[in-house]
Amino acid sequence: MTEVIHVSVDADGIATLLFDRRDSNMNVMDMKFMDEIEAAIERLAGDDAIKGAIFTSGKPVFAAGADLKQIEASLNSSQNSADRDTPVAERLARNASLSRVLRRMETCGKPVACAINGTALGGGTEIALACHYRVAADARGIRLGLPEVQVGLLPGGGGTQRVPRLIGIQAAMPVLMEGQALSAEKALKMGLIHRIVPAADLIAEAKRWLIEEGDPVQPWDKKGYKLPGGAGPSSPAVAQMLVVSNAMLQAKTFHNLPAPKAILSCLYEGPQLPMDKALEVEAKYFTLLQLDPVSRNMIRTLFINKGKADKLMHRPAGIARTTFRRIGVVGAGLMGAGIAFHCARLGIETVLIDRDRQAADKGKGYAAKRLERDIAKGRTSRDEADVILARIHPTTDYAGLAEVELVVEAVFEDRALKAGITRKLEAVLPAHAVIASNTSALPISELAEAGARPQNFIGMHFFSPVERMPLVEIILGRRTSPETLARALDLAQAMKKTPIVVNDGPGFFTSRFIGAYINESLVMVTEGVNPALIENAAKMAGIPVGPLTVSDEIGLDTAWHASQQRKRDEGDAFVPTPTFRLVEKLAGELGRHGRKNGKGFFAYAEDGSKKLWPGLAELFPPLAEQPTVDEVRTRMLYAQLVDAARAMADGVLLDPADGDVGSILGVGFPAYLGGPFSMMDTIGIAEVVAECDRLAARHGAQFAAPQLLRDMAAEGLSFHGARRVTPPAAVR
Ligand code: NAD
């Protein structure tokens, strides 16, 4: 009795290998899958009554790739020394098991046709590529692709070898090195699949091919096979292209990402070899990547922990789901307009309120403008755009909110203004409705107290531009109820955002975390570190936007207003810091507000180009001896590590997973590091503490390691894995 791959043979001798797990509603690929597919292929090879086979899936998603639970278990064990000590030969054999089975399938002497009835990513696409014929259903939304590179790996089931042999080395590059998900049409055009037919004809077409054509030998196993265009890695054009691609890759990734580099090596070495040898090369590079902490950290954060967040790991149990047909948004500015547009595209109506009709209409205008662009690019039809636009209802009248279950408040960052809005909202909303403030930094618990129902109040911190940024940071006020949290999470999910949940505290998590990076960078400016060195060190660390660029984008005036507010709040206790003085000088005295008025750390020209403002060197004379890139990078990253550890120690973070996911998806922490907690685990907590001590002695108390880190180092604990620390927030 099989549980994963079910074989049936029809009267014509055509076997169907049906991938349909009985133990799961997703076709995941684990050891059980491997055993059963191997048995099925042996039967196919050995049974003379079978002429050929159709490989297809019994689930809507053709195959869901590797099994999450198995990966998580192996991640945890790869942190213990027993697994690290696994002999290389054994590891290689284990990693090559899918590759070996698929190779056996394509050389077993019987033709196999793949009937792709649903999305096949990763291992699913690799199965298809190993079949002799590939036909996909014309169902909308079917995707094919090899996204392994996005978690620091390469497709280890033959993908790096079959793709270039099918479509050529150059065309294979974006497929493998960027991990693009391709529509069936695109895959057909590129030559990765043979045909697209109506879903109802899928199996018949696979069978037709087996009976009428049925060639059991892959092109690359035929005598005289040449890569498409005859262009092997050593032909002058391809060799030159590989050299240039490698240089471009390193210019873009600064040697931080081992996976695309390994894929490039597979593309260079593999196609010079016969397939069996080429697959060995692939397995070797796969194993190197697997042993690298980059893949472990990316898998943990971007696959496992992001997956848990998407499944709402912090959603309290036993509370009915809320389905949102209509929400309210107050404040139709940059954020409010973005939220309304994003919701409208997902079928959720928005009552969009501003202080006057013109401002509300302007918010809707944002959606109209974006939709025009989509129409021009052929992404949307006029009719579709009209339907989307009709879901946004601009108004000044709060009466339209009488039946909504949640309102996002996105007015100016002003406590008194927000308090007034809360009271106005409570007057019209149903008693259980949630008010979610999109504030970037004002304390949620205080904002909640402005109204009579603080239990219904929560923070939902979206990022700009809302329609593109994948994260929402949900902030619990002191009195936020479990029902309110559940509703906010349900909306996040309906908006297809990844939610992290944090406790209230200055700057929540993401704002304080990016603040630590910017602050340390500005401290360096005041010390006379070359601003270009600072910007470039950030880029070399893999941070997408340099700290001075970010400061100019956010606006130095915004930072100045915030610091003036802090000065007023703290009264006599206020001690001006070097960055306070810097911002006061630039924004307060010199009127350099950033990109918005064409002058900040950079000077902006009419044509949009910019260069660092030379006046900085007069204000902060350059150090005679500049620090190394490494020291600058270390200061930026450690400022964030310490801050993340403090956010954990202070109970702001409920779980290290939230910090890791939030840092990458929200504020551009380098993905290859897996987030601050994964990074600290990789370095080793004791080593992190030692480095903090060194940095604190040289550069100041911002690097003082919190007691939590010292205790963890003493007890040999980490943030993830088998010996993980219990987050202080969970103890309270
Ligand atoms: P914005 O200035 O673009 O928009 C604010 C809107 O609020 C304006 O349209 C304004 O007319 C409206 N408004 C002001 N008073 C009002 C009132 N009494 N009634 C109704 N509407 C009123 O600001 P924004 O960038 O969209 O920011 C909104 C909120 O989101 C702020 O709290 C901000 O801190 C937060 N936030 C901003 C960003 C960002 O990148 N801009 C990111 C995350 C969070």
Side-chain angles (χ1 to χ4, degrees), residues 134-151:
R134 290 170 289 285
V135 53
D138 69 355
R140 206 178 154 169
I142 286 191
R143 292 278 181 279
L144 296 159
L146 298 164
E148 287 81 350
V149 69
Q150 291 165 6
V151 287

Side-chain angles (χ1 to χ4, degrees), residues 330-336 353-355 359 398 410-413 417-418 421 438-440 461-462 464:
V330 184
L334 181 73
M335 298 305 290
I353 296 184
D354 210 300
R355 45 190 171 174
Y398 282 61
V411 299
F412 301 139
E413 190 79 333
L417 175 64
K418 286 182 192 282
I421 302 282
N438 184 43
T439 174
S440 325
H461 180 201
F462 291 92
S464 172

Side-chain angles (χ1 to χ4, degrees), residues 431-444:
H432 66 276
V434 170
I435 300 177
S437 177
N438 184 43
T439 174
S440 325
L442 298 176
I444 292 300

Side-chain angles (χ1 to χ4, degrees), residues 8-16 49-54 206-207 210-211:
S8 56
V9 184
D10 72 8
D12 299 317
I14 301 297
T16 299
I50 300 181
K51 308 289 175 231
I54 299 169
K207 187 165 170 180
L210 287 169
I211 290 171

